């Protein structure tokens, strides 16, 4: 059993909400999906209602629920905390699927300090499936309901990773906002270089192939979703600044001169900073980054080697420096 005889999933017509609604139903929970619009082709599949201003039918469902899961946009979820918390019975669990935690933590402290709560952020696209994938879990107020929901996620194949609200937002600023900024900036750089992507794909070594594949994957998604990730996380701007500063530092290390950026022969001038071999200076950078990776370095190298094998059916040698 799920541990939740009756559950309400607000936003259950969406991908994330639908994933959790399915998980609850498979575990035996009587799950009510609430949304502003029904799923395509299924007009009777959910209760139509606004969780920020519950009508009589929705209010009754919230009172009876053992679990209320908010799988909605952050603005809606934050507005819903006060009215939902007033209706929930003692001992019931409130959960959400927001990708930013600090705002929800403040709202819970103000309007639901005694309510069990856990935030679950699936760190994957729902279409990929939960099996083996991490689900960031931020527990605001622990209790039996939190334990039951995390066990349910584990039973569905997910891997809950407990973080504080501050740890969550700092971590996702790197794993999501920074990562997406790197990938999209790579694409913008290709566009400015005026290169033929077909020629790149035909000649690219494995690291470049991986970047092209990541760019293609991001471009298959929703600009609105990626924009929300960049705008909503309070630490995302710091991550982007760190990326820009790191690129400027790297360019200075190599010896780039922005005043002569359009001179293709500048590297042939021994009197120009671009004419020196920057490998010696890179030694220190490599050592610093190796220390940063720590025990994850060897595991990452093995993972990369396996990834490259799926791109090129080659032996273990010959792909390390390209």
């Amino acid at each position: 059993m799920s541990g939740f005889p009756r559950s309400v999933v607000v936003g259950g017509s969406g991908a994330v909400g639908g994933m959790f609604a399915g998980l609850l139903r498979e575990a035996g929970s009587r799950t009510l999906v609430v949304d502003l619009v029904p799923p395509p082709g299924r007009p009777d599949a959910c209760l139509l209602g606004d969780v920020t201003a519950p009508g009589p039918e929705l209010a009754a469902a919230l009172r009876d629920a053992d679990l209320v899961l908010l799988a909605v946009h952050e603005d809606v979820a934050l507005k819903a905390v006060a009215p939902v918390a007033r209706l929930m019975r003692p001992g019931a669990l409130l959960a959400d699927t927001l990708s930013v935690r600090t705002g929800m933590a403040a709202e819970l402290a103000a309007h639901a300090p005694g309510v069990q709560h856990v935030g679950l952020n699936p760190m994957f696209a729902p279409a990929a499936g939960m099996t083996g994938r991490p689900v960031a879990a931020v527990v605001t107020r622990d209790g039996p309901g939190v334990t039951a929901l995390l066990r349910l996620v584990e039973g569905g194949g997910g891997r809950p990773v407990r973080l504080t609200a501050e740890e969550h937002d700092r971590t996702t600023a790197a794993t999501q906002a920074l990562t997406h900024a790197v990938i999209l900036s790579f694409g913008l750089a290709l566009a400015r270089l005026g290169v033929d992507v077909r020629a790149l794909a035909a000649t690219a070594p494995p690291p470049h192939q991986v970047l092209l594949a990541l760019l293609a994957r991001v471009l298959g998604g929703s600009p609105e979703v990626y924009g929300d990730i960049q705008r909503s996380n309070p630490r995302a701007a710091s991550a982007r600044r760190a990326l820009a500063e790191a690129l400027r530092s790297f360019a200075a290390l190599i010896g780039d001169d922005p005043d002569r950026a359009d001179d293709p022969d500048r590297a042939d001038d021994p009197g120009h900073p671009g004419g020196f071999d920057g490998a010696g200076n890179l030694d220190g950078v490599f050592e610093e980054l190796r220390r940063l990776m720590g025990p994850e370095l060897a595991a990452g190298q093995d993972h990369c080697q396996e990834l490259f094998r799926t791109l090129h059916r080659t032996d273990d040698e010959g792909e390390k420096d390209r």
Side-chain angles (χ1 to χ4, degrees):
M1 287 291 294
S2 67
F4 306 103
R6 296 173 301 278
S7 57
V8 173
V9 178
V10 183
S13 296
V16 175
M19 178 179 68
F20 281 106
L23 188 64
L24 286 160
R25 285 170 173 158
E26 288 172 6
S29 177
R30 293 176 57 188
T31 302
L32 174 67
V33 167
V34 177
D35 219 319
L36 293 175
V37 294
R42 301 174 61 194
D44 301 325
C46 73
L47 172 64
L48 301 183
D50 179 0
V51 72
T52 66
E57 189 174 1
L58 176 53
L62 294 171
R63 289 190 191 98
D64 290 341
D66 303 287
L67 163 67
V68 177
L69 176 67
L70 304 175
V72 293
H73 193 275
E74 181 182 20
D75 291 345
V76 177
L78 296 182
K79 291 178 184 176
V81 169
V84 169
R86 283 195 296 267
L87 292 166
M88 291 176 65
R89 62 174 183 78
L93 173 66
L94 177 63
D96 70 75
T97 62
L98 299 186
S99 59
V100 177
R101 302 302 334 160
T102 48
M104 176 57 77
E107 199 69 17
L108 289 165
H111 300 290
V115 176
Q116 288 184 75
H117 173 269
V118 60
L120 299 176
N121 183 9
M123 304 302 291
F124 55 90
M130 188 178 288
T131 301
R133 301 184 188 277
V135 179
V138 176
V139 178
T140 308
R141 184 178 178 84
D142 213 341
V146 171
T147 301
L149 186 55
L150 294 182
R151 284 178 178 168
L152 184 65
V153 169
E154 289 179 335
R159 182 165 52 84
V161 180
R162 286 206 182 206
L163 301 167
T164 67
E166 181 68 17
E167 288 171 338
H168 175 278
D169 288 359
R170 185 171 63 248
T171 299
T172 56
T175 59
Q176 292 184 313
L178 175 62
T179 300
H180 301 159
V182 168
I183 294 168
L184 289 170
S185 295
F186 166 73
L188 290 171
L190 293 181
R192 293 182 181 184
L193 287 172
V195 292
D196 184 343
V197 174
R198 290 172 297 180
L200 295 179
T203 61
H208 191 83
Q209 288 186 44
V210 170
L211 284 173
L212 286 176
L214 288 170
L215 178 60
R217 179 177 175 83
V218 168
L219 294 178
S222 164
E224 180 182 2
V225 170
Y226 285 104
D228 282 345
I229 290 172
Q230 295 294 330
R231 288 187 290 268
S232 62
N233 191 318
R235 291 183 172 270
S238 295
R240 292 190 296 272
R241 285 194 296 270
L243 173 62
E245 290 165 5
L247 186 55
R248 284 193 292 269
S249 296
F250 181 77
L253 178 68
I254 297 302
D256 283 353
D257 183 348
D259 294 332
R260 300 185 65 184
D262 295 326
D263 182 359
D265 298 320
R266 66 188 184 280
D268 296 330
D269 178 1
H272 186 273
F276 82 98
D277 181 1
N281 292 332
L282 281 176
D283 287 346
V285 172
F286 271 51
E287 285 306 311
E288 178 184 352
L289 296 179
R290 285 167 181 151
R291 287 193 297 272
L292 173 69
M293 292 290 291
E296 296 297 325
L297 178 62
Q301 290 169 339
D302 291 342
H303 190 190
C304 188
Q305 193 64 43
E306 288 298 319
L307 177 61
F308 284 3
R309 285 197 188 101
T310 69
L311 298 173
H312 282 301
R313 299 300 179 185
T314 62
D315 58 25
D316 290 346
E317 301 300 325
E319 299 291 4
K320 294 181 179 178
D321 297 326
R322 289 186 287 169

